[in-house]
Amino acid sequence: MSNMHFHRIAIAPMMDWTDRHCRFFLRQLSRHVLLHTEMVTTGAIIHGDRERLLGYHPEEHPLALQLGGSDTQELAECARIAANLGYGEVNLNVGCPSDRVQAGRFGVCLMKEPDLVARCVAAMMEAVDIPISVKTRIGVDDQPEGPALETFVEAVSNVGCERFTIHARKAWLKGLSPKENRDVPPLNYSVVYELKEKFPDLSIAINGGLADCDAADEHLEHVDGVMFGRAAYQNCYILSEVDRRFYDVPEPVRSRHQIARAMIPYIERAIEEGTALVAVTRHMLGLFQGVPGARLWRRSLSEKARAPDAGGALIEETLSQLPEPQPEIAA
């Protein structure tokens, strides 16, 4: 089976969040977690500015591109583009509940068309050698959660797809906004656990409501992988434990100060290339979440980063006002 490189821990693709600056920052917290781009539509890639949409820093690997679309030829073409650019995996979005997505016939509405998704995945797999995975939900609208998911996964795995990430909530296309769809439908982890029991040879990862590494540990008793979403963004330091706990890396965990300092050369290069400082620092606001100085850090990075002459020195200047813990001694 081609699951040798299946990643136990991944960060979800998040619109307006997981851009290249965010991913480079998250990579400072974990060398091994699988990162995803924001969802990019096939049309945008075929007709748009590829460097802006798909460019990344080599340090971001392992990195997957998440695609939105339902045209088999366009998806195959975009998978080829991704493979040529060095992406390690392409993930098909069958989970996004926005109205814009339904109009374009991609995202979670495709759960109602498992045979179409199977054809899409087959076309992508034929086009490239890198893994093709699918991210979906446990059902859409009035579909019964368990049976709908099983029917979907069976159809798509029959063409050879082995990797699925399941957001353990339904999506309601009528009556709930995309934002409400992330919180309102109740989480139902047992449906995902049962899916793994029914399809033991597939790699099944779970997504939705994971707060920390302890939660990840609990899920990994039942499934092959976990995907962190908002917690990894808003309280990103939880990722600093990932390499040691899930990838047996013996190195000591870096402090928040060390992670922030590691960003300074990147920030200075980004500014030289014309990027606004705040475009990078907006992703770093959660670094001190839950520890003394969190408010000062957030305020400095969101307010002072907007000054026209602000640069990497702002990071050092802000860190100097925050208590620095003693470095941890590696056991």
Short mmCIF file of all heavy atoms in Angstrom, two decimals, residues 23-63:
data_model
loop_
_atom_site.label_atom_id
_atom_site.label_comp_id
_atom_site.label_asym_id
_atom_site.label_seq_id
_atom_site.Cartn_x
_atom_site.Cartn_y
_atom_site.Cartn_z
N ARG A 23 1.98 29.14 6.77
CA ARG A 23 2.58 27.80 6.72
C ARG A 23 4.05 27.83 7.13
O ARG A 23 4.53 26.96 7.85
CB ARG A 23 2.41 27.19 5.32
CG ARG A 23 0.95 27.00 4.92
CD ARG A 23 0.81 26.22 3.63
NE ARG A 23 1.57 26.74 2.50
CZ ARG A 23 1.06 27.49 1.53
NH1 ARG A 23 -0.21 27.86 1.56
NH2 ARG A 23 1.82 27.89 0.52
N PHE A 24 4.78 28.84 6.68
CA PHE A 24 6.20 28.95 7.06
C PHE A 24 6.31 29.10 8.58
O PHE A 24 7.18 28.49 9.22
CB PHE A 24 6.86 30.13 6.36
CG PHE A 24 8.35 30.20 6.61
CD1 PHE A 24 9.23 29.53 5.77
CD2 PHE A 24 8.86 30.90 7.70
CE1 PHE A 24 10.60 29.57 6.02
CE2 PHE A 24 10.22 30.94 7.96
CZ PHE A 24 11.10 30.27 7.11
N PHE A 25 5.41 29.89 9.15
CA PHE A 25 5.42 30.07 10.61
C PHE A 25 5.09 28.76 11.32
O PHE A 25 5.79 28.35 12.26
CB PHE A 25 4.40 31.17 10.98
CG PHE A 25 4.13 31.25 12.46
CD1 PHE A 25 5.16 31.52 13.35
CD2 PHE A 25 2.85 31.07 12.95
CE1 PHE A 25 4.92 31.59 14.73
CE2 PHE A 25 2.60 31.14 14.33
CZ PHE A 25 3.64 31.40 15.21
N LEU A 26 4.04 28.06 10.89
CA LEU A 26 3.67 26.81 11.55
C LEU A 26 4.79 25.77 11.44
O LEU A 26 4.98 24.95 12.33
CB LEU A 26 2.37 26.25 10.97
CG LEU A 26 1.11 27.10 11.21
CD1 LEU A 26 -0.10 26.47 10.55
CD2 LEU A 26 0.85 27.30 12.71
N ARG A 27 5.54 25.84 10.35
CA ARG A 27 6.65 24.91 10.17
C ARG A 27 7.72 25.11 11.23
O ARG A 27 8.47 24.18 11.55
CB ARG A 27 7.22 25.06 8.75
CG ARG A 27 8.34 24.13 8.39
CD ARG A 27 7.97 22.66 8.54
NE ARG A 27 7.06 22.16 7.53
CZ ARG A 27 6.09 21.29 7.79
NH1 ARG A 27 5.89 20.84 9.02
NH2 ARG A 27 5.30 20.85 6.82
N GLN A 28 7.82 26.30 11.80
CA GLN A 28 8.80 26.53 12.88
C GLN A 28 8.41 25.78 14.15
O GLN A 28 9.24 25.55 15.03
CB GLN A 28 8.94 28.03 13.19
CG GLN A 28 9.24 28.92 11.99
CD GLN A 28 10.32 28.36 11.09
OE1 GLN A 28 11.42 28.06 11.53
NE2 GLN A 28 10.00 28.21 9.80
N LEU A 29 7.13 25.41 14.27
CA LEU A 29 6.65 24.69 15.45
C LEU A 29 6.77 23.18 15.30
O LEU A 29 6.93 22.47 16.29
CB LEU A 29 5.19 25.06 15.72
CG LEU A 29 5.01 26.51 16.19
CD1 LEU A 29 3.91 27.22 15.45
CD2 LEU A 29 4.75 26.55 17.68
N SER A 30 6.64 22.69 14.07
CA SER A 30 6.76 21.25 13.83
C SER A 30 7.37 21.02 12.46
O SER A 30 6.92 21.59 11.48
CB SER A 30 5.38 20.57 13.89
OG SER A 30 5.43 19.30 13.26
N ARG A 31 8.40 20.18 12.42
CA ARG A 31 9.05 19.87 11.15
C ARG A 31 8.29 18.82 10.36
O ARG A 31 8.53 18.63 9.17
CB ARG A 31 10.49 19.35 11.40
CG ARG A 31 11.41 20.41 11.96
CD ARG A 31 11.83 21.40 10.89
NE ARG A 31 12.46 22.59 11.47
CZ ARG A 31 12.42 23.79 10.92
NH1 ARG A 31 11.79 23.98 9.79
NH2 ARG A 31 13.02 24.81 11.49
N HIS A 32 7.42 18.06 11.02
CA HIS A 32 6.86 16.85 10.40
C HIS A 32 5.37 16.93 10.08
O HIS A 32 4.88 16.15 9.25
CB HIS A 32 7.13 15.64 11.29
CG HIS A 32 8.59 15.35 11.44
ND1 HIS A 32 9.33 14.69 10.48
CD2 HIS A 32 9.46 15.68 12.42
CE1 HIS A 32 10.59 14.61 10.88
NE2 HIS A 32 10.70 15.20 12.04
N VAL A 33 4.63 17.79 10.75
CA VAL A 33 3.20 17.88 10.50
C VAL A 33 2.95 18.21 9.03
O VAL A 33 3.72 18.95 8.40
CB VAL A 33 2.58 18.95 11.45
CG1 VAL A 33 3.06 20.33 11.12
CG2 VAL A 33 1.07 18.90 11.42
N LEU A 34 1.91 17.61 8.43
CA LEU A 34 1.57 17.89 7.03
C LEU A 34 0.79 19.21 6.97
O LEU A 34 -0.24 19.36 7.64
CB LEU A 34 0.71 16.76 6.46
CG LEU A 34 0.19 16.97 5.03
CD1 LEU A 34 1.34 17.00 4.02
CD2 LEU A 34 -0.82 15.89 4.65
N LEU A 35 1.28 20.14 6.17
CA LEU A 35 0.59 21.42 5.99
C LEU A 35 -0.21 21.40 4.70
O LEU A 35 0.13 20.68 3.76
CB LEU A 35 1.62 22.56 5.93
CG LEU A 35 2.48 22.75 7.19
CD1 LEU A 35 3.54 23.82 6.95
CD2 LEU A 35 1.63 23.10 8.40
N HIS A 36 -1.30 22.18 4.68
CA HIS A 36 -2.13 22.31 3.47
C HIS A 36 -2.23 23.77 3.06
O HIS A 36 -2.29 24.66 3.91
CB HIS A 36 -3.56 21.80 3.73
CG HIS A 36 -3.67 20.32 3.83
ND1 HIS A 36 -3.30 19.62 4.95
CD2 HIS A 36 -4.12 19.39 2.94
CE1 HIS A 36 -3.51 18.32 4.75
NE2 HIS A 36 -4.01 18.16 3.54
N THR A 37 -2.34 23.98 1.77
CA THR A 37 -2.66 25.32 1.27
C THR A 37 -4.11 25.63 1.63
O THR A 37 -4.88 24.74 2.01
CB THR A 37 -2.55 25.38 -0.26
OG1 THR A 37 -3.57 24.53 -0.82
CG2 THR A 37 -1.19 24.95 -0.76
N GLU A 38 -4.50 26.87 1.46
CA GLU A 38 -5.92 27.18 1.43
C GLU A 38 -6.51 26.45 0.22
O GLU A 38 -5.78 26.10 -0.70
CB GLU A 38 -6.14 28.68 1.21
CG GLU A 38 -5.51 29.56 2.26
CD GLU A 38 -5.50 31.02 1.82
OE1 GLU A 38 -6.49 31.72 2.10
OE2 GLU A 38 -4.50 31.45 1.21
N MET A 39 -7.83 26.25 0.20
CA MET A 39 -8.42 25.66 -0.99
C MET A 39 -8.26 26.60 -2.18
O MET A 39 -8.54 27.79 -2.08
CB MET A 39 -9.91 25.40 -0.79
CG MET A 39 -10.53 24.75 -2.02
SD MET A 39 -12.31 24.63 -1.93
CE MET A 39 -12.77 26.35 -2.11
N VAL A 40 -7.78 26.03 -3.29
CA VAL A 40 -7.66 26.81 -4.53
C VAL A 40 -8.53 26.13 -5.58
O VAL A 40 -8.49 24.89 -5.70
CB VAL A 40 -6.19 26.85 -5.04
CG1 VAL A 40 -6.05 27.89 -6.15
CG2 VAL A 40 -5.22 27.15 -3.91
N THR A 41 -9.32 26.88 -6.31
CA THR A 41 -10.19 26.26 -7.31
C THR A 41 -9.39 25.97 -8.58
O THR A 41 -8.40 26.64 -8.88
CB THR A 41 -11.37 27.17 -7.68
OG1 THR A 41 -10.86 28.36 -8.28
CG2 THR A 41 -12.20 27.52 -6.45
N THR A 42 -9.86 24.98 -9.31
CA THR A 42 -9.19 24.61 -10.56
C THR A 42 -9.17 25.80 -11.51
O THR A 42 -8.15 26.07 -12.16
CB THR A 42 -9.89 23.42 -11.23
OG1 THR A 42 -11.29 23.70 -11.33
CG2 THR A 42 -9.70 22.15 -10.44
N GLY A 43 -10.26 26.55 -11.58
CA GLY A 43 -10.33 27.70 -12.48
C GLY A 43 -9.28 28.74 -12.16
O GLY A 43 -8.65 29.32 -13.06
N ALA A 44 -9.08 28.98 -10.87
CA ALA A 44 -8.08 29.98 -10.45
C ALA A 44 -6.69 29.55 -10.90
O ALA A 44 -5.89 30.35 -11.39
CB ALA A 44 -8.12 30.17 -8.94
N ILE A 45 -6.39 28.26 -10.76
CA ILE A 45 -5.05 27.78 -11.13
C ILE A 45 -4.85 27.84 -12.65
O ILE A 45 -3.81 28.28 -13.14
CB ILE A 45 -4.82 26.34 -10.61
CG1 ILE A 45 -4.74 26.35 -9.09
CG2 ILE A 45 -3.56 25.72 -11.22
CD1 ILE A 45 -4.70 24.99 -8.45
N ILE A 46 -5.86 27.42 -13.38
CA ILE A 46 -5.73 27.35 -14.84
C ILE A 46 -5.66 28.75 -15.45
O ILE A 46 -4.90 28.99 -16.38
CB ILE A 46 -6.86 26.49 -15.44
CG1 ILE A 46 -6.63 25.02 -15.05
CG2 ILE A 46 -6.92 26.62 -16.96
CD1 ILE A 46 -7.80 24.11 -15.28
N HIS A 47 -6.43 29.69 -14.88
CA HIS A 47 -6.51 31.03 -15.50
C HIS A 47 -5.79 32.12 -14.71
O HIS A 47 -5.68 33.24 -15.19
CB HIS A 47 -7.98 31.43 -15.68
CG HIS A 47 -8.77 30.42 -16.45
ND1 HIS A 47 -8.54 30.16 -17.78
CD2 HIS A 47 -9.76 29.59 -16.06
CE1 HIS A 47 -9.37 29.20 -18.18
NE2 HIS A 47 -10.12 28.85 -17.16
N GLY A 48 -5.34 31.81 -13.49
CA GLY A 48 -4.85 32.89 -12.61
C GLY A 48 -3.35 32.96 -12.48
O GLY A 48 -2.59 32.36 -13.24
N ASP A 49 -2.92 33.71 -11.45
CA ASP A 49 -1.50 33.96 -11.19
C ASP A 49 -0.95 32.81 -10.36
O ASP A 49 -1.12 32.76 -9.15
CB ASP A 49 -1.40 35.31 -10.44
CG ASP A 49 0.02 35.65 -10.02
OD1 ASP A 49 0.89 34.76 -10.07
OD2 ASP A 49 0.24 36.81 -9.63
N ARG A 50 -0.29 31.88 -11.02
CA ARG A 50 0.12 30.64 -10.33
C ARG A 50 1.14 30.89 -9.23
O ARG A 50 1.11 30.23 -8.20
CB ARG A 50 0.69 29.64 -11.33
CG ARG A 50 -0.42 28.84 -11.96
CD ARG A 50 0.08 27.79 -12.93
NE ARG A 50 -0.97 27.64 -13.92
CZ ARG A 50 -0.81 26.99 -15.06
NH1 ARG A 50 0.35 26.44 -15.34
NH2 ARG A 50 -1.80 26.88 -15.90
N GLU A 51 2.05 31.80 -9.47
CA GLU A 51 3.07 32.06 -8.43
C GLU A 51 2.39 32.57 -7.16
O GLU A 51 2.70 32.15 -6.05
CB GLU A 51 4.12 33.05 -8.95
CG GLU A 51 5.09 33.58 -7.89
CD GLU A 51 5.80 32.49 -7.07
OE1 GLU A 51 6.04 31.38 -7.58
OE2 GLU A 51 6.12 32.78 -5.90
N ARG A 52 1.42 33.47 -7.33
CA ARG A 52 0.72 34.01 -6.16
C ARG A 52 -0.11 32.92 -5.48
O ARG A 52 -0.15 32.82 -4.26
CB ARG A 52 -0.19 35.17 -6.59
CG ARG A 52 -0.83 35.92 -5.43
CD ARG A 52 -1.72 37.05 -5.90
NE ARG A 52 -2.86 36.59 -6.69
CZ ARG A 52 -3.96 36.04 -6.18
NH1 ARG A 52 -4.08 35.85 -4.88
NH2 ARG A 52 -4.95 35.68 -6.97
N LEU A 53 -0.76 32.09 -6.28
CA LEU A 53 -1.67 31.08 -5.72
C LEU A 53 -0.94 29.86 -5.16
O LEU A 53 -1.36 29.27 -4.18
CB LEU A 53 -2.64 30.61 -6.81
CG LEU A 53 -3.67 31.62 -7.29
CD1 LEU A 53 -4.32 31.13 -8.58
CD2 LEU A 53 -4.73 31.87 -6.23
N LEU A 54 0.15 29.47 -5.83
CA LEU A 54 0.77 28.18 -5.52
C LEU A 54 2.22 28.28 -5.05
O LEU A 54 2.82 27.27 -4.70
CB LEU A 54 0.72 27.26 -6.75
CG LEU A 54 -0.67 26.94 -7.32
CD1 LEU A 54 -0.55 26.03 -8.53
CD2 LEU A 54 -1.56 26.30 -6.26
N GLY A 55 2.79 29.49 -5.07
CA GLY A 55 4.18 29.63 -4.64
C GLY A 55 4.33 29.27 -3.16
O GLY A 55 3.42 29.48 -2.36
N TYR A 56 5.49 28.72 -2.82
CA TYR A 56 5.73 28.38 -1.40
C TYR A 56 7.24 28.36 -1.16
O TYR A 56 8.04 28.34 -2.10
CB TYR A 56 5.10 27.02 -1.05
CG TYR A 56 5.67 25.84 -1.81
CD1 TYR A 56 6.79 25.16 -1.35
CD2 TYR A 56 5.07 25.40 -2.99
CE1 TYR A 56 7.32 24.08 -2.04
CE2 TYR A 56 5.59 24.32 -3.70
CZ TYR A 56 6.72 23.67 -3.22
OH TYR A 56 7.24 22.60 -3.90
N HIS A 57 7.61 28.37 0.11
CA HIS A 57 9.01 28.30 0.51
C HIS A 57 9.37 26.81 0.66
O HIS A 57 8.59 26.05 1.23
CB HIS A 57 9.16 29.02 1.86
CG HIS A 57 10.58 29.22 2.29
ND1 HIS A 57 11.37 28.17 2.72
CD2 HIS A 57 11.34 30.34 2.37
CE1 HIS A 57 12.57 28.65 3.05
NE2 HIS A 57 12.57 29.95 2.85
N PRO A 58 10.56 26.40 0.17
CA PRO A 58 10.90 24.96 0.26
C PRO A 58 10.80 24.40 1.68
O PRO A 58 10.55 23.20 1.85
CB PRO A 58 12.34 24.90 -0.25
CG PRO A 58 12.70 26.25 -0.77
CD PRO A 58 11.58 27.20 -0.52
N GLU A 59 10.99 25.26 2.68
CA GLU A 59 10.93 24.77 4.07
C GLU A 59 9.53 24.34 4.49
O GLU A 59 9.36 23.73 5.54
CB GLU A 59 11.42 25.90 5.01
CG GLU A 59 12.32 25.39 6.10
CD GLU A 59 12.90 26.51 6.96
OE1 GLU A 59 13.86 27.16 6.52
OE2 GLU A 59 12.37 26.72 8.06
N GLU A 60 8.52 24.68 3.69
CA GLU A 60 7.14 24.31 4.07
C GLU A 60 6.86 22.82 3.96
O GLU A 60 5.88 22.34 4.52
CB GLU A 60 6.13 25.08 3.21
CG GLU A 60 6.08 26.56 3.49
CD GLU A 60 5.19 27.30 2.50
OE1 GLU A 60 4.11 26.78 2.17
OE2 GLU A 60 5.58 28.38 2.04
N HIS A 61 7.67 22.07 3.22
CA HIS A 61 7.41 20.63 3.09
C HIS A 61 7.44 19.93 4.44
O HIS A 61 8.21 20.33 5.30
CB HIS A 61 8.46 20.00 2.17
CG HIS A 61 8.25 20.32 0.72
ND1 HIS A 61 7.13 19.97 0.02
CD2 HIS A 61 9.04 20.98 -0.17
CE1 HIS A 61 7.24 20.39 -1.23
NE2 HIS A 61 8.38 21.01 -1.37
N PRO A 62 6.64 18.86 4.64
CA PRO A 62 5.67 18.26 3.73
C PRO A 62 4.42 19.14 3.54
O PRO A 62 3.86 19.65 4.52
CB PRO A 62 5.31 16.94 4.42
CG PRO A 62 5.65 17.14 5.86
CD PRO A 62 6.78 18.11 5.90
N LEU A 63 4.01 19.28 2.27
CA LEU A 63 2.97 20.24 1.91
C LEU A 63 2.02 19.65 0.88
O LEU A 63 2.45 19.05 -0.10
CB LEU A 63 3.66 21.49 1.33
CG LEU A 63 2.78 22.63 0.83
CD1 LEU A 63 1.95 23.22 1.95
CD2 LEU A 63 3.66 23.73 0.20
#
